[in-house]
Amino acid sequence: NPGGDSIAFLAAAVGRPRFFVGNTSGWRAGVGIHSLVTSTDLASLAVPAGTQTRFVGFAFDPARPWPGFPPAAIVEPATTLSWSSGSVDRRDLPDHADRYGPALAPTNLQDAAAAGRHAETDRVSWVTQVASIQAAIAAGTLQKAVLARTVALPATDPVRLLARLQEREPGTTTF
């Protein structure tokens, strides 16, 4: 990890809410909750005032949010560690995680992962969709498309999973 050890920072916070986003040009890691704004409607989510890093999360399908999490949330971590342009910055604010109850409890991640690996779009349907997109591009009616499918993987140690993603795909943004 260039510029500091975000993995060690996150691993030391077992049992607390943890957040991360980064790539080869920089990263931000957060621990705890200083403030949290949630909504059932992403469009009505207002960014709170302040200078600390915020992490924004939302369900790709608002009708089917991740079990145990709100459809949309903005989290201002209590402690943020970041690296960019060769410098490391740490900011500390009071941790108010206890005010927000189980909204982003680490056990929610473990509960969701306990269900095991499953794909919400079967491979045959996904391959059929890819073929349709390729045909539309060949016909000139489509220039670009991003086709994704949801695959849930069990991960009892999300920090270890993050470290493996960074090792395997160092040029990509991980979160």
Side-chain angles (χ1 to χ4, degrees), residues 8-48:
F9 172 72
L10 294 169
V14 172
R16 297 176 66 200
R18 299 173 283 185
F19 313 93
F20 179 88
V21 62
N23 57 35
T24 55
S25 63
W27 52 258
R28 294 183 185 276
V31 172
I33 300 175
H34 176 69
S35 66
L36 171 67
V37 177
T38 64
S39 177
T40 55
D41 176 19
L42 184 61
S44 69
L45 201 56
V47 176

Side-chain angles (χ1 to χ4, degrees), residues 91-154:
R91 297 187 183 203
D92 293 287
L93 296 170
D95 194 342
H96 302 299
D98 57 327
R99 289 185 187 172
Y100 300 105
L104 295 174
T107 54
N108 289 336
L109 178 60
Q110 293 166 355
D111 292 345
R117 181 179 206 262
H118 71 279
E120 294 193 9
T121 304
D122 67 88
R123 184 148 182 87
V124 172
S125 297
W126 187 76
V127 169
T128 301
Q129 292 171 350
V130 169
S132 296
I133 289 171
Q134 289 173 325
I137 290 172
T141 59
L142 184 65
Q143 291 181 357
K144 179 180 176 182
V146 177
L147 182 60
R149 65 186 186 123
T150 301
V151 178
L153 301 171

Side-chain angles (χ1 to χ4, degrees), residues 34 50-54 76-80 91-93:
H34 176 69
T51 59
Q52 185 83 341
T53 296
R54 290 176 187 83
E76 184 175 22
T79 302
T80 304
R91 297 187 183 203
D92 293 287
L93 296 170

